[in-house]
Amino acid sequence: MSTLQIPWWLDVQCLERICLKKPKAILFDYDGTLSDTMNIHYSAWIKALNNYNHSFKKKDFFKLEGHSLELICLNFLKSKQNADYDIKKIINLKKNIFNKSVIKDNYYPHVLKIIKLLKKSKIKIALVTSSHKAQINNSSSSFFLDYF
């Protein structure tokens, strides 16, 4: 089975050519691939860590895309190794900030057309993500998640 990586900016005509090749399945990441949520995640981390007088650059955050919340948090706090932080409390704060800030159904252009075309072509699709279920549910309507 071959794996196809499909960028979010893929146009529908190009996808139609891919459908003709009949891949067995196509896997989609969620944050930053289907939904424009990465900047909201970044802002939530900035706000959560600001309470601890700690900040970081956007480029450093995007390097950690896909990692666990624990790893991301520890990475941002590594310069303050002797400090005693409640990592779970910081992560919960970040999640709460994200959930209050997220824009529901904020998909990239053509995402819904692409998903519908794949379903019509009877190509299996799956959603793979490191995001927590509550974050996905807060940023997507059930009609969208039902495609997967």
Side-chain angles (χ1 to χ4, degrees), residues 14-106:
C14 185
L15 187 66
E16 287 171 345
R17 290 191 298 278
I18 290 171
C19 288
L20 291 174
K21 294 182 180 187
K22 292 287 186 194
K24 290 185 180 181
I26 297 179
L27 308 177
F28 289 94
D29 184 25
Y30 184 78
D31 293 302
T33 303
L34 297 177
S35 184
D36 187 8
T37 53
M38 290 306 295
N39 287 315
I40 300 168
H41 280 293
Y42 170 72
S43 295
W45 275 117
I46 289 292
K47 290 174 184 172
L49 291 171
N50 190 42
N51 291 336
Y52 299 89
N53 296 318
H54 194 72
S55 65
F56 52 93
K57 295 180 180 167
K58 198 176 213 179
K59 66 178 180 131
D60 296 327
F61 167 70
F62 280 92
K63 289 178 186 176
L64 297 171
E65 185 177 354
H67 290 281
S68 70
L69 296 176
E70 292 79 8
L71 183 68
I72 292 171
C73 190
L74 289 170
N75 190 22
F76 293 144
L77 296 173
K78 69 182 174 193
S79 63
K80 302 184 182 214
Q81 289 177 349
N82 294 330
D84 187 25
Y85 293 110
D86 184 345
I87 300 298
K88 288 183 180 182
K89 183 178 177 182
I90 296 170
I91 289 170
N92 284 333
L93 177 60
K94 183 269 178 194
K95 286 180 181 179
N96 288 334
I97 294 168
F98 175 87
N99 288 332
K100 289 177 185 173
S101 306
V102 72
I103 301 166
K104 199 164 196 88
D105 299 323
N106 189 25

Side-chain angles (χ1 to χ4, degrees), residues 111-121 143 147:
V111 163
L112 290 173
K113 287 181 186 176
I114 290 168
I115 298 300
K116 288 176 183 179
L117 178 62
L118 291 169
K119 294 301 273 185
K120 183 179 175 185
S121 299
F143 84 88
Y147 286 117

